[in-house]
Amino acid sequence: MTLAERVRALPRRWPGFESIRGIPILLRLLPSVSRRQSALLGAGVLLAAALPVAAIALTGLLVGSIPDAVRGGLESAAGHRTLDLLVAVGAVVVAQRFVSPMLGAVSMTLGRETDRYLQDRVLAAVGRPGGIAHLEDPDVLAHVRLVKGLGADAQRPGLAVEGLGYVLPSWLQALGSAVVLLIFSWWVGLLWLVVWPIVVFAMQQEYLRVGEVGYGRSDALRRAEYLRDVALGPAAGKEVRVWGMLGWLVAAFERAWYTAMAPVWKVRSPRGNVLFGASGAVLAVNAVSYGLLAWAATRGDLSVAAVAIYTQALAGVNSYTAFDDRNVYLSYAAVTVPKVLALDGRLGGSGGYSGAVSAAPVSVTEPSKPAAAPDLPRTDVRFDGVTFQYPRSERTALRGLDLTIQAGRSLAIVGENGAGKTSLVKLLCGLYAPTDGRLLVDGRDLAELDPAAWRDQVAVLFQDFARYHLPVRDNIGLGAPAYAHDEDRLRLAAQKAGVLDLVESLPHGFDTVLSREYTGGVDLSGGQWQRIALARAMFAVEAGARLLILDEPTAALDVRAEAELYERFLELTEGLTTCLISHRFSTVRRADRIVVLADGGVVEDGSHEELMDLDGRYAEMFTLQASRFLDHQAAPAALPGDGQGTAATGEGMETHA
């Protein structure tokens, strides 16, 4: 059984146990952060604890040797002994002056490295699952927030490491001083060995209570931080000013922040009965100890050296810390560090703390022995009775879906909003697992395939594609990061997406950062961003992807750009298994096959001509969309100009009808 397992197995009835329990977890973590720094911290803690105890003994002996040295002179044996003890005390004092700042520097450095290490662990843990359900889990987001340094900074795990460099030496010094007092009076020493741990545990329990309350406010703090970021960030800057939202945002931020922090402020101070009880106990034990020491000294039971030693031992036993900020940080570590490490185990990690997380575990569908997935699909992708419901949602997005996507052919999916089209795309990408049924690739369950290998075969343009504040080459190259250095592939992908001319016109070409927030950066229009996103998908195709998924690929394009893309649709999708989702029927009709989704299932299936002859939902939607433009066929004649109006209207009819 490991140390962490033994600690977890101990009973938790003792006050402050949960807080002390966090210490071995934290200590067990440190070698993984930095073995060298951890070794220096350990050596520093031992020296910082041992040197004061050594100083107590040496100083007492020095004081006791002075009378004999005075009588015999410095040249006598007693005088030499006094000088030797003086040198020894001086060496210990100098060592203390060296060890203390060294220990502080090491603990601060190790604390910062611990924060970075935990951030890396969380980044790896959050990115490990193949799906994205955990990214919408409030409990996971609460864990992630702990290492982002937001909200109550006292919960930053690195501060607990810094506290170790101060708290542990004080505890060990108090322990050593109590052992010295055992020589004076066994029951006085034993009394200190009992009292100060109880005081520490009691105060840690109070700080732990505050830490748990603070952690429990994570959701409310995330809302406050979101409102703050909306007010400060550029994303909503235009609307904030045009609609005069700033006052509302500031007021909403203040309400959310107060709602989150008020319970913490209410309990942030230790309860009076605990504080005064602990202080009173320490005062009473001190009164008894000093009284007995004074009584023994006046009776002549102790030598001058013994009085000096025991007096300093009493000062040393009082040196333990229980009431300062460092103990607060250490107590908060009992809340934060196990929870952060538990996130790694919860999302499939193999190392670190394996404690349970309070909420229900996130469903992770990683195969234990993933299979390779080269050049898929070769025959088809098939939804076999697939039902899908989003986590924490009562609505069923797909219900018993049966659908086959033939390899090397193009399939268009249409339907009203909420029919399940985007959910189907997410399942195809392996971002979610079906609630029921199977998704088969060439007859093999997608759950049996290595998610990373499967996604190497998938190129996708999402409707809500990301806009990365990175150079153009990275925005496109992220479609297949392993090939991002290939300039020829980058140019070919940009050309296929119709964005190469735009890229070459930018100030720094492919090296231009797509954000005005950076020097020399530029921003793009919505349609230009969509072309960049399409280029990213085409770059994945150039890197070997065989399944192309286009979810509303022209939603942000102007009429001319849209018509140009439609004319090239067959060229772009040649030889690929293509899944197209669009409300624009001019693209849809070019697909080899069209299916209509409604209520999470397929209600119509066929080619454009077959569905028009069927005169069902597809025909109704197509006719309704086309009629908007057929009613304005005569409009070009009324437009002034040189005939460009007719051409534009013709493109509009081709685009939408």
Side-chain angles (χ1 to χ4, degrees):
M1 181 180 291
T2 66
L3 172 62
E5 290 170 341
R6 289 197 297 270
V7 171
R8 288 196 297 272
L10 291 174
R12 304 181 185 181
R13 294 187 295 272
W14 195 278
F17 178 80
E18 282 293 326
S19 189
I20 302 302
R21 178 173 169 259
I23 296 176
I25 295 173
L26 188 59
L27 292 175
R28 182 170 175 260
L29 171 70
L30 294 182
S32 299
V33 177
S34 172
R35 290 188 178 277
R36 177 176 174 274
Q37 295 289 339
S38 299
L40 286 174
L41 178 65
V45 166
L46 292 177
L47 284 173
L51 288 173
V53 177
I56 291 173
L58 291 173
T59 303
L61 293 175
L62 174 63
V63 171
S65 71
I66 291 176
D68 291 338
V70 170
R71 285 191 295 269
L74 291 178
E75 298 300 326
S76 65
H80 289 160
R81 183 169 181 269
T82 297
L83 291 176
D84 291 341
L85 287 171
L86 183 61
V87 171
V89 170
V92 169
V93 170
V94 171
Q96 284 182 278
R97 296 296 180 267
F98 169 77
V99 169
S100 179
M102 182 274 290
L103 181 58
V106 169
S107 60
M108 289 181 64
T109 301
L110 188 56
R112 289 192 293 268
E113 292 183 4
T114 299
D115 283 336
R116 287 195 294 270
Y117 174 82
L118 291 174
Q119 288 169 352
D120 291 344
R121 285 277 292 265
V122 169
L123 285 172
V126 171
R128 186 180 298 118
I132 60 173
H134 63 292
L135 298 178
E136 300 167 355
D137 187 317
D139 190 57
V140 170
L141 296 177
H143 284 65
V144 171
R145 185 184 159 277
L146 291 175
V147 295
K148 291 171 68 177
L150 302 174
D153 187 60
Q155 288 191 328
R156 184 168 62 84
L159 289 177
V161 179
E162 296 177 26
L164 285 177
Y166 180 82
V167 172
L168 289 183
S170 75
W171 290 358
L172 293 176
Q173 181 184 345
L175 175 63
S177 299
V179 170
V180 173
L181 288 176
L182 287 172
I183 302 173
F184 165 61
S185 170
W186 68 267
W187 65 268
V188 169
L190 184 61
L191 185 63
W192 276 108
L193 287 174
V194 171
V195 169
W196 74 259
I198 292 178
V199 171
V200 169
F201 286 7
M203 294 306 299
Q204 285 286 304
Q205 178 70 15
E206 291 300 292
Y207 300 138
L208 181 70
R209 182 170 56 88
V210 179
E212 288 286 6
V213 171
Y215 175 79
R217 308 308 298 166
S218 188
D219 273 350
L221 282 170
R222 282 194 293 114
R223 173 172 171 77
E225 289 153 3
Y226 168 75
L227 293 168
R228 176 201 63 194
D229 293 343
V230 168
L232 297 177
K238 298 186 292 294
E239 294 187 2
V240 167
R241 284 150 183 80
V242 170
W243 293 339
M245 296 166 53
L246 185 59
W248 183 92
L249 284 171
V250 171
F253 167 77
E254 290 178 349
R255 287 194 303 270
W257 182 260
Y258 181 80
T259 300
M261 295 304 297
V264 181
W265 295 333
K266 186 176 180 180
V267 301
R268 64 183 172 183
S269 298
R271 288 172 293 187
N273 60 336
V274 176
L275 182 60
F276 289 115
S279 302
V282 172
L283 181 61
V285 175
N286 269 295
V288 171
S289 301
Y290 278 106
L292 287 175
L293 182 60
W295 175 255
T298 56
R299 291 180 55 189
D301 295 338
L302 299 175
S303 66
V304 174
V307 171
I309 290 174
Y310 296 143
T311 301
Q312 291 186 84
L314 280 174
V317 84
N318 278 281
S319 67
Y320 69 90
T321 63
F323 304 95
D324 60 0
D325 286 345
R326 294 175 178 87
N327 276 271
V328 174
Y329 303 151
L330 188 62
S331 185
Y332 285 176
V335 178
T336 60
V337 174
K339 292 182 184 296
V340 170
L341 296 180
L343 179 66
D344 192 13
R346 179 181 182 182
L347 297 180
S350 58
Y353 176 65
S354 59
V357 180
S358 56
V362 174
S363 175
V364 180
T365 57
E366 307 298 326
S368 56
K369 294 182 178 180
D375 303 326
L376 298 180
R378 300 187 187 94
T379 57
D380 59 43
V381 178
R382 182 160 59 92
F383 289 80
D384 182 16
V386 169
T387 295
F388 176 65
Q389 186 174 357
Y390 287 98
R392 295 171 300 283
S393 174
E394 297 181 357
R395 177 178 169 274
T396 301
L398 297 174
R399 194 186 309 274
L401 175 66
D402 291 311
L403 174 65
T404 300
I405 304 173
Q406 296 295 331
R409 308 280 288 177
S410 57
L411 171 71
I413 302 173
V414 299
E416 298 178 353
N417 291 335
K421 304 185 297 297
T422 299
S423 299
L424 184 148
V425 168
K426 292 176 180 178
L427 291 177
L428 269 178
C429 295
L431 299 177
Y432 290 93
T435 306
D436 195 13
R438 298 183 301 166
L439 180 54
L440 305 174
V441 180
D442 293 347
R444 192 169 187 179
D445 196 328
L446 182 60
E448 298 177 1
L449 302 179
D450 176 14
W454 167 244
R455 290 184 188 124
D456 285 342
Q457 312 304 316
V458 177
V460 58
L461 170 59
F462 292 106
Q463 183 177 2
D464 54 346
F465 58 87
R467 305 183 182 194
Y468 300 103
H469 292 186
L470 297 170
V472 175
R473 66 172 63 255
D474 294 332
N475 263 280
I476 297 175
L478 286 174
Y483 297 90
H485 62 280
D486 193 325
E487 194 80 20
D488 292 336
R489 279 192 172 100
L490 286 172
R491 297 183 65 85
L492 184 57
Q495 182 181 14
K496 286 188 174 183
V499 78
L500 182 59
D501 291 341
L502 169 66
V503 173
E504 292 180 337
S505 71
L506 295 176
H508 305 289
F510 278 93
D511 294 316
T512 303
V513 177
L514 298 183
S515 171
R516 290 199 190 98
E517 297 179 18
Y518 299 90
T519 303
V522 301
D523 199 3
L524 303 179
S525 68
Q528 290 170 332
W529 267 114
Q530 190 158 40
R531 283 178 176 267
I532 292 291
L534 177 60
R536 187 157 57 241
M538 298 315 300
F539 186 76
V541 170
E542 293 302 315
R546 308 311 305 154
L547 173 60
L548 176 62
I549 303 173
L550 302 174
D551 189 357
E552 297 291 356
T554 62
L557 298 183
D558 58 43
V559 172
R560 191 177 300 276
E562 186 178 16
E564 177 187 343
L565 181 62
Y566 289 162
E567 290 299 329
R568 302 181 60 198
F569 177 77
L570 295 179
E571 175 189 348
L572 293 176
T573 61
E574 182 179 4
L576 298 174
T577 304
T578 305
C579 182
L580 169 68
I581 295 176
S582 180
H583 290 95
R584 311 292 180 89
F585 285 93
S586 54
T587 306
V588 169
R589 66 187 300 177
R590 285 174 165 79
D592 297 325
R593 177 171 158 232
I594 303 167
V595 297
V596 180
L597 288 187
D599 299 323
V602 175
V603 294
E604 294 181 10
D605 186 347
S607 65
H608 170 73
E609 291 76 14
E610 291 171 342
L611 294 180
M612 291 300 293
D613 291 341
L614 184 62
D615 197 23
R617 295 194 185 202
Y618 177 84
E620 179 185 359
M621 290 187 290
F622 182 89
T623 303
L624 180 63
Q625 189 174 108
S627 66
R628 291 186 297 151
F629 301 97
L630 295 174
D631 291 343
H632 299 284
Q633 284 182 346
L639 293 174
D642 56 2
Q644 292 181 357
T646 303
T649 304
E651 288 178 2
M653 289 179 62
E654 173 62 18
T655 299
H656 296 283

